[in-house]
């Protein structure tokens, strides 16, 4: 075992941030030389067990690298392991892990969640005492949410900006890969490496990749900032609202022009719309894990139905809940009332953002309505309360907009608070520019 692997194992023993650790990660030459990269479990890494946090994929070692992995290897990255997550990305606190897997703990306070679903990624980004960047994934907020709970930066690009080839699908129309890091320089560097067209992903955008590092130093004088006023009100922890207000003040001090913006449709229907679409897509994606071509193969005895039932029983409760709801909302007879309607609301949400971006360059709100919750508090949440935690993050994800969570200080208990910044499609540079001023 090499020294880096020993360090990672030591951290992991205390915090359960990894599902798989490479015993001898080595780095090559290139822009990521000497930088350790952790990879969320749902991103395929050749010959490394890749389970998307689910027991149903036990023993699955991909025979290929995801496009993002190919790209970081070319730049000399040392891949240290696969980070813990809610199974298939289903959750906001990384407590919905696969059967037999461990729940990651927040390095800031071990009695609290790292957030989810990219909990392990955010945890190791905070805990690593060596140069490190995480590759994470977001469907509805899984990069920025955990980043905010752990006090690191989380960056989610425009949908299609980074190839999804080799990412295990949660919801194909929503999934994005993006980095987490301690500094904006590392975020910009990683985005320069992983962004760009890939003919292996039919939703990949054929657009040039800008020099994100250069954007870091651009002034924000005259930049128009829209404050999502309603996201500071009811249901939002007062200390979180105060810290984010301090962050906004910093932007104003540097010449940004503030105005209030309201997104009534997104605020009212975003969570419902997101969960209908995400679950509908997830339920079709999970159909393939039947133990025939994909998924763990149980001993074959009894009838086909018994075999199928035993295999599908490996899914955890949250995965089963989503298969049932997702199948229901797209069933003949219900499809028009739920799934089709949700897709129409999604278009209205996109229009609402597009209108807002005629008036402002970025939108600002808290990332999560509260700081990292204790595991004992999460146990008391109903599934509905669990889903409501994503109220600020589902909007930009439904609209495919780039967004970032930046730490803006700690509350009185020393727990980190994150501020969410959203920009228009392909305006990642604006987020680099603003992020670096915080
Ligand atoms: N919390 C959201 C969900 O459970 C988002 C997860 C994600 O972005 N992967 O669907």
């Amino acid at each position: 075992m090499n020294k880096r692997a020993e360090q990672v194992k030591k951290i992991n023993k205390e915090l359960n941030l990894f599902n798989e650790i490479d015993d001898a990660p080595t780095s090559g030459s290139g822009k990521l030389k000497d930088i350790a990269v952790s990879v969320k479990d749902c991103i395929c890494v050749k010959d490394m067990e890749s389970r998307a946090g689910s027991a149903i994929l036990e023993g699955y070692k991909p025979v290929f690298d995801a496009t993002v992995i190919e790209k970081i290897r070319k730049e000399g990255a040392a891949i240290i392991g696969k980070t813990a997550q809610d199974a298939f990305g289903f959750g906001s606190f990384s407590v919905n892990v696969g059967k037999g897997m461990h729940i990651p703990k927040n390095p800031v306070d071990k009695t609290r969640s790292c957030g989810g679903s990219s909990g392990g990624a955010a945890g190791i980004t905070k805990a690593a005492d060596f140069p490190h960047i995480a590759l994470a994934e977001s469907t509805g907020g899984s990069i920025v949410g955990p980043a905010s709970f752990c006090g690191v930066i989380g960056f989610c690009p425009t949908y299609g900006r980074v190839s999804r080839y080799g990412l295990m699908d949660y919801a194909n129309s929503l999934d994005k890969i993006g980095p987490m890091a301690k500094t904006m320089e590392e975020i910009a560097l990683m985005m320069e490496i992983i962004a760009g067209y890939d003919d292996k992903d039919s939703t990949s955008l054929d657009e040039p990749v800008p020099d994100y590092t250069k954007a870091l130093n651009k002034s924000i004088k005259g930049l128009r900032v829209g404050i999502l006023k309603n996201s500071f009100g009811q249901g939002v922890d007062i200390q979180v609202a105060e810290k984010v207000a301090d962050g906004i003040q910093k932007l104003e001090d540097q010449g940004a022009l503030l105005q209030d913006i309201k997104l009534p449709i997104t605020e009212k229907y975003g969570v419902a719309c997101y969960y209908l679409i995400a679950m509908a897509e997830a339920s079709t994606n999970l159909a393939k894990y039947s133990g025939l071509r994909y998924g763990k193969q149980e001993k074959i005895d009894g009838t086909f139905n018994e075999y199928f039932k035993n295999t599908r029983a490996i899914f955890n409760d949250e995965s089963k809940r989503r298969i049932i709801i997702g199948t229901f909302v797209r069933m003949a007879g219900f499809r028009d009332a739920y799934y089709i309607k949700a897709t129409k609301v999604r278009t209205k949400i996109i229009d609402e953002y597009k209108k807002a971006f005629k008036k402002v360059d970025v939108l600002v709100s808290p990332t999560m309505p509260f700081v990292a919750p204790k595991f004992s508090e999460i146990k008391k949440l109903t599934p509905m309360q669990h889903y409501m935690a994503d109220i600020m993050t589902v909007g930009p994800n439904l609209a495919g907009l780039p967004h970032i969570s930046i730490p803006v200080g700690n509350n009185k208990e020393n727990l980190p608070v994150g501020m969410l910044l959203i920009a228009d499609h392909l305006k990642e540079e604006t987020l680099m520019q603003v992020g670096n001023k915080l």
Side-chain angles (χ1 to χ4, degrees):
M1 204 189 324
N2 71 13
K3 193 172 149 250
R4 181 52 41 82
E6 265 171 43
Q7 282 170 298
V8 173
K9 286 212 164 146
K10 199 172 146 227
I11 296 172
N12 196 47
K13 206 167 162 201
E14 205 185 318
L15 301 167
N16 305 331
L17 304 174
F18 287 85
N19 290 341
E20 187 70 12
I21 291 171
D22 187 338
D23 275 343
T26 43
S27 72
S29 58
K31 292 181 189 155
L32 294 172
K33 181 176 157 27
D34 298 327
I35 297 186
V37 177
S38 64
V39 179
K40 187 173 177 180
D41 202 11
C42 58
I43 300 170
C44 288
V45 176
K46 192 172 179 228
D47 295 332
M48 200 183 252
E49 194 172 28
S50 298
R51 289 174 283 179
S54 172
I56 206 157
L57 278 161
E58 198 186 294
Y60 172 58
K61 289 189 178 171
V63 293
F64 70 108
D65 276 331
T67 296
V68 289
I69 302 301
E70 256 178 31
K71 288 185 168 190
I72 63 165
R73 281 198 205 279
K74 271 194 200 129
E75 293 296 346
I79 297 170
I80 51 173
K82 307 295 305 285
T83 47
Q85 60 166 98
D86 290 291
F88 295 107
F90 302 160
S92 309
F93 305 111
S94 295
V95 294
N96 300 329
V97 294
K99 287 179 185 163
M101 291 175 164
H102 300 292
I103 294 173
K105 299 178 200 164
N106 195 317
V108 181
D109 174 349
K110 283 193 273 183
T111 66
R112 293 175 188 268
S113 162
C114 284
S117 62
S118 314
I124 186 63
T125 304
K126 181 74 182 178
D129 46 9
F130 44 83
H132 162 268
I133 305 175
L135 282 182
E137 173 276 343
S138 171
T139 308
S142 281
I143 295 177
V144 290
S148 128
F149 284 165
C150 292
V152 297
I153 309 168
F155 191 91
C156 181
T158 307
Y159 178 79
R161 201 27 152 161
V162 174
S163 170
R164 287 186 295 120
Y165 181 74
L167 169 68
M168 295 182 204
D169 303 308
Y170 165 176
N172 313 47
S173 79
L174 291 153
D175 299 342
K176 283 96 36 197
I177 294 176
M180 284 185 196
K182 284 200 178 96
T183 70
M184 281 306 296
E185 285 78 10
E186 290 164 324
I187 295 282
L189 171 69
M190 187 53 107
M191 277 303 297
E192 278 163 17
I193 293 167
I194 62 173
Y197 178 69
D198 179 14
D199 61 11
K200 293 199 199 104
D201 171 3
S202 61
T203 57
S204 173
L205 295 172
D206 196 358
E207 294 286 338
V209 178
D211 185 336
Y212 294 124
T213 307
K214 216 163 149 192
L216 295 174
N217 296 321
K218 266 201 203 152
S219 143
I220 57 164
K221 202 159 185 273
L223 190 96
R224 299 165 306 162
V225 174
I227 303 168
L228 295 172
K229 229 4 196 223
N230 288 343
S231 62
F232 289 83
Q234 223 193 352
V236 178
D237 181 287
I238 179 120
Q239 287 189 58
V240 168
E242 278 169 12
K243 286 288 156 199
V244 176
D246 292 349
I248 295 171
Q249 186 59 49
K250 268 195 201 158
L251 298 181
E252 193 177 25
D253 293 345
Q254 294 175 72
L257 308 171
L258 311 182
Q259 61 175 287
D260 290 344
I261 294 281
K262 280 192 184 132
L263 302 172
I265 301 174
T266 310
E267 285 155 13
K268 191 162 177 198
Y269 301 110
V271 172
C273 175
Y274 167 78
Y275 275 97
L276 286 180
I277 292 173
M279 289 187 193
E281 292 185 27
S283 67
T284 69
N285 281 323
L286 294 191
K288 62 177 167 285
Y289 301 112
S290 62
L292 296 173
R293 291 180 67 182
Y294 293 95
K296 197 174 167 215
Q297 305 209 315
E298 293 289 282
K299 223 172 73 221
I300 299 189
D301 52 14
T303 63
F304 173 79
N305 280 353
E306 281 163 22
Y307 175 71
F308 190 78
K309 193 179 79 187
N310 290 341
T311 307
R312 304 284 285 179
I314 302 170
F315 282 126
N316 67 8
D317 287 351
E318 185 59 26
S319 304
K320 289 179 193 160
R321 178 179 293 117
R322 293 186 186 215
I323 291 169
I324 293 168
I325 300 176
T327 307
F328 173 77
V329 302
R330 58 187 172 80
M331 248 164 73
F334 299 99
R335 187 164 42 216
D336 291 339
Y338 296 104
Y339 177 66
I340 302 288
K341 186 164 284 167
T343 60
K344 288 180 181 162
V345 172
R346 183 182 196 174
T347 304
K348 291 211 175 290
I349 289 175
I350 297 170
D351 290 346
E352 194 167 69
Y353 276 110
K354 282 298 198 190
K355 244 191 238 154
F357 285 121
K358 288 208 171 94
K359 294 189 216 152
V360 295
D361 301 302
V362 282
L363 292 165
V364 173
S365 73
T367 306
M368 297 301 279
F370 38 73
V371 291
K374 287 200 160 120
F375 292 113
S376 56
E377 292 164 345
I378 296 168
K379 276 207 183 97
K380 291 184 207 136
L381 296 180
T382 63
M384 193 63 181
Q385 286 168 326
H386 192 131
Y387 302 157
M388 283 306 287
D390 300 337
I391 187 142
M392 328 280 192
T393 62
V394 289
N397 280 280
L398 277 168
L401 296 163
H403 52 286
I404 186 171
S405 180
I406 304 270
V408 281
N410 297 339
N411 75 359
K412 287 183 187 126
E413 287 171 279
N414 235 353
L415 299 166
V417 173
M419 167 158 138
L420 184 71
L421 296 148
I422 310 167
D424 201 354
H425 293 120
L426 292 170
K427 299 279 194 228
E428 279 83 4
E429 284 171 286
T430 312
L431 298 178
M432 304 284 173
Q433 190 187 348
V434 190
N436 208 33
K437 305 296 172 297
L438 293 161

